Amino acid sequence: MVSLLYQIRERIARKSKNKGYETAMILDKIIHHETYHSEPRLDKVLTYMAGVTPETFPAGQVKLDGDLAFVNPVCFETKPEKECLFEAHRRYADVHFIVEGCEKIVVRDIAAVKVHTPYSEEKDIGFYTCDEGTVCVLHPGDFLVCYPQDAHKVAIAPAGPAPVKKLVGKVRV
């Protein structure tokens, strides 16, 4: 049986602007987190994120289901897009949730990017380059799920450099 999450991903799959590559990302608002209850690990991450405010922002990693689902707090200054690389993971989907600030994230199918730094099995990350992708601008309360096929360029300044406080959830796939 096809899971509800798979059906949702298929319905909201974003088609990139060139060569027909698709991304399977999910872009939504945290107030809709209950939509994803059929996927238990993603549900745990989103339910936790829905309860986080700037005042309750965690100081360190929060384990929700051991190494299967956890959340990392991240604070940074956004930067010009030319300074950013795409990244992709094979063992985990990333769930980016903005608590404060605004971040531009560009997503591109992994098949359409070029290797910059080869994938590290140990760190579960590889870095890539590409000139195009689906642009997402996240504001407080927005979340973006990037699956292993979704290379994503993060920490981009939508206007000018500015501070961002966000949670990055990791969901084992």
Side-chain angles (χ1 to χ4, degrees), residues 31-107:
I31 59 172
H32 303 138
H33 71 92
E34 292 181 359
T35 303
Y36 308 94
H37 280 329
S38 67
E39 295 295 327
R41 291 183 208 139
L42 180 59
D43 178 47
K44 285 180 184 181
V45 168
L46 293 174
T47 299
Y48 173 77
M49 289 175 168
V52 174
T53 66
E55 295 76 29
T56 62
F57 193 78
Q61 186 179 79
V62 177
K63 296 260 187 182
L64 301 170
D65 190 3
D67 287 338
L68 299 176
F70 55 93
V71 173
N72 294 315
V74 183
C75 298
F76 59 91
E77 183 99 358
T78 58
K79 52 192 172 186
E81 186 168 352
K82 67 181 181 219
E83 296 178 19
C84 303
L85 292 171
F86 282 90
E87 63 183 61
H89 316 281
R90 294 182 185 167
R91 292 192 307 268
Y92 290 93
D94 275 0
V95 184
H96 302 266
F97 172 63
I98 305 300
V99 177
E100 286 184 331
C102 184
E103 177 186 19
K104 176 178 163 182
I105 300 176
V106 180
V107 183

Side-chain angles (χ1 to χ4, degrees), residues 105-173:
I105 300 176
V106 180
V107 183
R108 188 77 164 121
D109 187 286
I110 192 72
V113 297
K114 294 181 180 162
V115 174
H116 178 274
T117 305
Y119 175 78
S120 165
E121 184 71 35
E122 179 186 338
K123 296 178 181 178
D124 187 39
I125 194 166
F127 293 97
Y128 308 87
T129 60
C130 187
D131 293 332
E132 300 174 302
T134 301
V135 175
C136 305
V137 179
L138 281 71
H139 301 274
D142 293 340
F143 73 88
L144 175 70
V145 181
C146 295
Y147 291 91
Q149 67 267 33
D150 300 323
H152 46 287
K153 190 187 310 186
V154 300
I156 304 167
V164 170
K165 188 182 275 192
K166 79 178 198 178
L167 299 174
V168 179
K170 302 295 270 185
V171 178
R172 183 73 181 220
V173 292

